[in-house]
Each structure stands twice: as structure tokens, then as C-alpha cells.
Amino acid sequence: MPDFSILLIFIPTWFLVSISPGLCMSLAMSLGMTIGLKKTLWMMLGELIGVAIVVVCAVLGVASVILKYPAVFEVAKVISGAYIIFVGARTWRTKVEIESIHITKRSTSTSLSLINKGLLTAVLNPKGWAFTVSLLPPFFDLEKPLALQLSVFLMIILVSELLCMFLYASGGRGLRKLLNSNDKAQYINKIGGILLIGVGLWLAFL
């Protein structure tokens, strides 16, 4: 099991990553407005499967290198920290917007097509890969079983993704209007940027 202190940092950090507007959350919102929350659950299932694939592949790929070359782990933490600081600075300066994704009822009328849409969106999302590769590995303790740690982190990630997709899918037009036009929404990025910079510094100097 990861240390409790690590989980106290990891849980809010990944929730921040999940809640930030992106392809998956925009898709959840668009589908929630066009086909309803109930049918959108099929897309969420596909997205969670895709996220699990990304997390497992990214972690195992990075872990194989770290286990073979332990010194790389220390370098990776510094690089990861620097990248998260960079992302935090960009988040601070970026205007909050929901990306435009056009959804038609015909293209998402079956449960299988919705699952496939969610799966492909998650797997092909560069943001997901970038955050997983850079942010997740430094939280691992090489002296503890990696499989157990991966299971715990993966469960947290999936729960976080599901909660955020529910929020976006049920928020609909009101949430879209808030994120696109309300100046107060910029506080989301200001707070998020500060937290990411803090996490980046923690990772770099842990």
C-alpha cells in the first residue's frame, strides 16, 4: 500500500487533473446535453476502460526502465516535477474553455458505439498519456510491491474520472456557460495552477 501521506497528495492532485476541461470531459458534457446522462454512462464505461489501459501501459513501460536502471528514477522525478511546474504555469495563464465537440444522436445511438467513443477518446488523448507518464511514476515506492501500489492508484484514478464525468455530463449547458463566459471561472485555473506548481516542486525535491 502507498503511504497515507502520499495518498493525501495524490488524491487531490489527480482529481485536479481529472476535473480540468479536456477531450474526455468535453465529450461527457456534450453527450449529457444531447442524449442524456443515462445513455452517457456507456461512454463513461468506455472511457474508464481506456484510462485503465493508458495507466497500466504507461506505468509498466516506465517501471520497466526504472527497475532496470534505478538511478533513472531520481532523474525522472526531477523531470516530472519540472514538467508539472510548466503545466501549472500554463494552467494559471490559460482561459477556461470547454472544447467544442459536435455529437449527433445517430453516431452515438448504440451502447457499443458509445463505449467505443469513450475508449478511443481516452486512449488517443495526449493529455492523458502526458500526465500519466510524468505524474504517476514518482508517487511509487520502489521498495514496495509495484502491483499493489498500481492497483490502489488505478482505483483512485478511475473513481476520480467517474466523478468528474458525472459532474460534466449532468452540468450540461449551465456548466458550459460558466466555464466559457464567467470571469469567476478563471479562479479554477488560478487555483489549479498553484496546486500543480506546488506538486511539481514536491516531486522534484522529494
Side-chain angles (χ1 to χ4, degrees):
M1 275 286 292
D3 292 338
F4 184 68
S5 59
I6 296 294
L7 294 179
L8 286 179
I9 298 174
F10 180 78
I11 292 174
T13 298
W14 200 272
F15 182 79
L16 176 64
V17 172
S18 297
I19 200 68
S20 62
L23 289 177
C24 293
M25 297 305 148
S26 297
L27 179 60
M29 175 178 287
S30 298
L31 288 174
M33 289 191 298
T34 56
I35 65 175
L37 179 59
K38 185 176 180 179
K39 286 187 177 180
T40 304
L41 292 176
W42 290 109
M43 184 284 295
M44 294 182 187
L45 174 60
E47 197 267 351
L48 293 178
I49 295 173
V51 168
I53 292 173
V54 170
V55 170
V56 172
C57 290
V59 170
L60 292 182
V62 174
S64 64
V65 176
I66 291 176
L67 290 175
K68 190 174 182 179
Y69 305 100
V72 175
F73 184 67
E74 298 302 322
V75 177
K77 288 197 297 185
V78 175
I79 295 176
S80 298
Y83 174 75
I84 298 302
I85 292 172
F86 170 73
V87 172
R90 288 191 61 183
T91 300
W92 170 276
R93 301 175 58 184
T94 301
K95 181 180 179 181
V96 180
E97 291 184 350
I98 290 293
E99 301 165 17
S100 297
I101 298 181
H102 301 286
I103 305 295
T104 61
K105 291 185 178 181
R106 177 179 299 178
S107 64
T108 57
S109 58
T110 68
S111 58
L112 182 59
S113 65
L114 287 168
I115 293 174
N116 288 335
K117 186 178 291 292
L119 174 64
L120 291 176
T121 301
V123 171
L124 300 178
N125 183 8
K127 172 188 169 184
W129 284 97
F131 271 105
T132 302
V133 171
S134 62
L135 184 57
L136 188 53
F139 281 95
F140 282 84
D141 186 343
L142 297 183
E143 297 181 356
K144 296 181 178 180
L146 294 181
L148 179 58
Q149 294 180 79
L150 176 57
S151 299
V152 173
F153 287 136
L154 180 59
M155 180 183 66
I156 294 171
I157 290 171
L158 294 181
V159 171
S160 179
E161 288 287 314
L162 181 60
L163 290 175
C164 293
M165 284 191 291
F166 263 109
L167 176 61
Y168 274 81
S170 59
R173 292 182 177 85
L175 184 57
R176 180 188 290 273
K177 183 178 180 181
L178 171 66
L179 292 178
N180 281 334
S181 62
N182 194 332
D183 291 337
K184 293 181 180 180
Q186 299 309 311
Y187 288 115
I188 297 175
N189 273 358
K190 300 299 183 183
I191 296 173
I194 292 174
L195 292 177
L196 284 175
I197 291 173
V199 171
L201 290 172
W202 178 80
L203 288 176
F205 297 103
L206 177 67

